[in-house]
């Protein structure tokens, strides 16, 4: 069973390395952080919480080896040294810096909201079963095992069909010699088992008319050229058991649910776009001409 693959709408935060700059203040008072310090630079702490946050973002929550953590701490130390020098030069008051930090702040808050919402709204077994049943119903149909030979000219395809009518066993050899499909010609044109919906419509329609063990009487024209198709077998589509697809289904439902929640938040928000407000009105002559 094929499940829809889509990216989770986690509003991606800008690199959390930028958080290191928050610790470099003129008054030398470190920003709030969690956990003991893993390093200090001129008395300003790089906390365990900061390091954990960067690791979490970079590794998607997976553990990292000690040497990787040490390398990250070294990187944050260097970053803090440079950030403190930037503060001494007053760069923390520049418009570019302030705009960037506001973007980082909002991005980090958005990520925190998404993670919290997912924890509070887990995918249940009932949701999984309902989604599985829906996908199972939509997957009903027939899948085919077939071979094909793809050529550029209709005349070449007709010549191949004429040869196969006399010598059906020659399909493998002809596919290897004449087919223009690099993905299957080496296997004698073998496409394996597939759902016809995966193919271009003309190819799928031709399969539905073929009997097992038969080849197409006429070349099948598609955007790729002319096909000679041999239907080797067919069978009802059997979806995999629920347990084998639970992780994928759970992720898919999580993505869908999060998308709906964010869409709801957006719908409830009052959003005003400066670009829309400043867009010039259509000229009267242009409007009249379009009628």
């Amino acid at each position: 069973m094929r499940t829809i693959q889509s990216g989770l709408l986690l509003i991606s935060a800008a690199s959390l390395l930028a958080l290191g700059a928050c610790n470099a203040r003129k008054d030398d008072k470190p920003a709030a952080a969690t956990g003991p310090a893993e390093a200090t630079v001129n008395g300003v702490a790089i906390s365990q919480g900061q390091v954990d946050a960067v690791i979490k973002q970079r590794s998607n929550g997976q553990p990292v080896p000690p040497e990787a953590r040490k390398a990250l701490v070294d990187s944050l130390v260097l970053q803090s040294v440079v950030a403190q020098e930037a503060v001494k030069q007053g760069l923390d008051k520049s418009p570019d810096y302030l705009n960037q930090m506001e973007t980082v702040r909002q991005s980090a808050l958005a990520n925190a909201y998404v993670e919290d919402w997912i924890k509070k709204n887990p995918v249940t077994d009932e949701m999984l079963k309902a989604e599985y049943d829906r996908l199972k119903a939509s997957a009903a149909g027939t899948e085919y095992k077939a071979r094909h030979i793809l050529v550029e000219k209709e005349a070449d395809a007709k010549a191949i069909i004429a040869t196969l009518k006399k010598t059906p066993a020659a399909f493998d050899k002809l596919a290897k010699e004449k087919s223009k499909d690099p993905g299957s010609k080496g296997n004698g044109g073998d496409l394996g088992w597939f759902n016809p919906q995966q193919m271009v419509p003309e190819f799928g329609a031709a399969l539905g008319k073929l009997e097992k063990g038969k080849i197409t009487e006429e070349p099948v024209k598609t955007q790729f050229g002319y096909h000679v198709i041999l239907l080797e077998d067919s069978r009802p589509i059997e979806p995999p058991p629920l347990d084998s697809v639970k992780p994928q289904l759970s992720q898919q439902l999580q993505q869908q649910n999060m998308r709906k929640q964010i869409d709801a938040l957006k719908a409830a928000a009052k959003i005003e776009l400066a670009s829309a407000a400043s867009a010039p009105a259509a000229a009267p002559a242009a409007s009249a001409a379009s009628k």
Side-chain angles (χ1 to χ4, degrees), residues 2 139-148 189-214 216 229-238:
R2 291 177 175 267
T142 303
E143 61 181 356
Y144 298 90
K145 187 176 188 302
R147 294 175 182 264
H148 82 137
D190 188 9
L191 296 170
W193 286 98
F194 58 90
N195 186 321
Q197 294 180 357
Q198 299 171 243
M199 301 298 184
V200 291
E202 301 90 344
F203 197 100
L207 277 173
K209 299 175 183 178
L210 274 178
E211 295 180 11
K212 181 178 175 179
K214 300 293 185 179
T216 46
I229 306 172
L230 166 64
L231 175 59
E232 294 188 317
D233 205 353
S234 64
R235 65 189 181 191
I237 294 176
E238 290 291 339

Side-chain angles (χ1 to χ4, degrees), residues 130-149:
E131 180 68 2
Y132 176 79
D133 289 342
R134 185 187 69 80
L135 291 171
K136 184 176 180 180
S138 67
T142 303
E143 61 181 356
Y144 298 90
K145 187 176 188 302
R147 294 175 182 264
H148 82 137
I149 301 172

Side-chain angles (χ1 to χ4, degrees), residues 3-10 114 117-118 121-123 127 131 247-263:
T3 57
I4 301 170
Q5 297 294 323
S6 58
L8 178 60
L9 189 71
L10 286 172
V114 168
W117 191 92
I118 288 173
N121 298 272
V123 174
M127 292 178 184
E131 180 68 2
Q248 300 97 309
L249 282 183
S250 181
Q251 182 183 37
Q252 176 181 320
L253 285 172
Q254 188 181 77
Q255 293 167 2
Q256 292 174 356
N257 294 341
M258 192 68 252
R259 175 79 253 184
K260 289 178 183 177
Q261 175 64 10
I262 292 177
D263 286 345

Side-chain angles (χ1 to χ4, degrees), residues 41-58:
V41 179
N42 297 324
V44 178
I46 297 173
S47 74
Q48 186 179 79
Q50 283 179 272
V51 179
D52 290 342
V54 178
I55 289 175
K56 182 179 180 181
Q57 186 214 25
R58 291 185 173 184

Side-chain angles (χ1 to χ4, degrees), residues 1 3 12 29 38 87-89 108 113 119 157 159 170 217 240 266 273 280 288:
M1 177 188 298
T3 57
S12 180
K29 293 180 181 178
E38 294 214 12
V87 170
K88 289 179 183 178
Q89 297 183 22
Y113 173 82
K119 288 178 183 178
E217 292 288 334
K266 183 179 179 181
L273 300 177

Side-chain angles (χ1 to χ4, degrees), residues 53-116:
V54 178
I55 289 175
K56 182 179 180 181
Q57 186 214 25
R58 291 185 173 184
S59 66
N60 293 321
Q62 299 299 315
V64 298
E67 58 269 22
R69 187 179 185 93
K70 181 180 182 302
L72 177 59
V73 172
D74 291 342
S75 177
L76 290 175
V77 165
L78 180 60
Q79 178 181 256
S80 185
V81 169
V82 177
Q84 291 181 40
E85 182 60 28
V87 170
K88 289 179 183 178
Q89 297 183 22
L91 296 178
D92 58 327
K93 306 301 182 185
S94 70
D96 284 347
Y97 169 81
L98 294 174
N99 288 332
Q100 183 179 4
M101 290 310 298
E102 176 59 16
T103 299
V104 171
R105 184 187 72 83
Q106 291 192 23
S107 185
L109 281 172
N111 266 333
Y113 173 82
V114 168
E115 292 180 4
D116 182 69

